[in-house]
Amino acid sequence: MTLETLETPALSAPPARVVAARLAQAGRSGFARYGLLAGFLILWQVGSTQGWLNATVFPPLDLIFAALWDGLASGALIDDIAISLQRSGLAFAAAVVLGIPLGLFMGQIRAVEHALDPILQFFRQTSALALYPVFILLLGLGEASKVFVIFWATLFPVLLATIGGVKEVDRKLIEMARTYGATRGTVFRRVVLPASVPSIFVGLRLSATTALLLLIAAEMIGANRGLGFQVMNAQYNFQIPLMFAAIFLLALLGLAANFTLVTLQRRLCRWAEAN
């Protein structure tokens, strides 16, 4: 048995104190990030059970989670989640399909931006909820009006972020590419579009959040399915734990959408993190 054979196990396995230090560091990092949230939830549970909070308005978390489990086990909340995701997903996809190409086009051609910017700013300042009765008159109380009001609200964040991203591209990079003989299309594909991606993702994250916010309002008016309807219906029937369960589900959907977009952004924008 050689000296290298004797040293290999020691080198492959870190000492116990190193493992303990790593675990302690991970624990401190987790506490710094989630400690306040955990403390808030513990205070809610203790305060509700001890009578510090009105348990009728703020029921204990165990009752909320029990209502959540019952709703998921029965399939009722799963159906509501599917319907809400369908509505918000269709609206968000339509906003992305229209907003990003239009934003790239407006950011590249100054004359088009000057022509469309006044009407764009006018409609952007008009609340989607204020226009919802108009959409109902035009499209009825069915799915079309609900999807369209969500689409209307989610279009502008991604559109404006895309325009801003194109306009903020370093002009020196464009001039350098043209100096080396790059065509207009090549400059767009290799310089403008990659440099605009971080701003586009900021707009996408804002649009995803807006889609969920408008989803709740749209489902509270003229809907009989969905998480927003479930929140309002549970409140009407004084099923407060079920109401909070639906609210928590909406929050989890928002966190999941944001996490997905952040992960995708990190994969597509590694060059930005390197810089």
Side-chain angles (χ1 to χ4, degrees):
M1 184 177 296
T2 63
L3 180 61
E4 295 179 355
T5 306
L6 292 173
E7 292 179 349
T8 300
L11 293 175
S12 61
R17 62 176 179 273
V18 174
V19 176
R22 291 176 180 175
L23 292 176
Q25 182 179 1
R28 288 192 298 268
S29 177
F31 180 79
R33 186 171 179 83
Y34 301 107
L36 187 60
L37 176 60
F40 169 74
L41 295 177
I42 293 172
L43 183 61
W44 183 339
Q45 173 68 21
V46 174
S48 181
T49 54
Q50 296 299 319
W52 304 340
L53 299 173
N54 186 349
T56 304
V57 180
F58 296 100
L61 291 178
D62 57 341
L63 295 181
I64 296 174
F65 291 140
L68 176 61
W69 174 257
D70 291 340
L72 293 175
S74 64
L77 285 179
I78 294 179
D79 292 338
D80 289 326
I81 292 172
I83 293 172
S84 295
L85 286 178
Q86 179 181 351
R87 289 168 178 161
S88 58
L90 285 174
F92 179 74
V96 171
V97 169
L98 178 61
I100 292 179
L102 182 59
L104 294 173
F105 184 66
M106 292 177 62
Q108 283 279 92
I109 303 177
R110 189 65 58 87
V112 176
E113 182 194 359
H114 282 306
L116 295 180
D117 186 67
I119 191 170
L120 174 64
Q121 295 299 331
F122 175 78
F123 283 127
R124 184 174 74 91
Q125 300 301 330
T126 305
S127 172
L129 291 178
L131 292 174
Y132 193 23
V134 179
F135 299 150
I136 292 176
L137 289 175
L138 294 174
L139 303 173
L141 277 171
E143 293 297 309
S145 61
K146 296 176 181 59
V147 173
F148 195 81
V149 71
I150 300 171
F151 160 76
W152 185 268
T154 56
L155 173 63
F156 296 106
V158 65
L159 175 59
L160 295 175
T162 304
I163 295 173
V166 173
K167 294 174 68 174
E168 291 174 2
V169 176
D170 192 348
R171 296 290 118 183
K172 294 181 180 179
L173 295 176
I174 298 176
E175 294 174 0
M176 183 182 299
R178 290 174 177 171
T179 301
Y180 282 99
T183 63
R184 188 182 184 92
T186 303
V187 171
F188 175 76
R189 292 193 308 271
R190 299 298 180 87
V191 179
V192 176
L193 185 58
S196 305
V197 169
S199 295
I200 292 174
F201 268 97
V202 172
L204 290 176
R205 292 169 64 184
L206 289 174
S207 292
T209 302
T210 304
L212 290 175
L213 293 176
L214 266 293
L215 170 71
I216 301 171
E219 290 183 340
M220 286 182 177
I221 303 174
N224 56 8
R225 301 290 293 276
L227 290 176
F229 164 77
Q230 194 63 254
V231 172
M232 184 64 68
N233 186 61
Q235 188 266 336
Y236 281 153
N237 295 315
F238 215 70
Q239 297 174 312
I240 306 302
L242 180 59
M243 181 189 75
F244 276 106
I247 292 173
F248 283 165
L249 280 177
L250 286 167
L252 290 176
L253 289 178
L255 291 174
N258 185 73
F259 175 78
T260 301
L261 290 172
V262 169
T263 303
L264 184 60
Q265 179 181 1
R266 288 175 179 173
R267 290 182 177 272
L268 294 178
C269 302
R270 292 178 180 176
W271 55 270
E273 295 181 358
N275 292 335

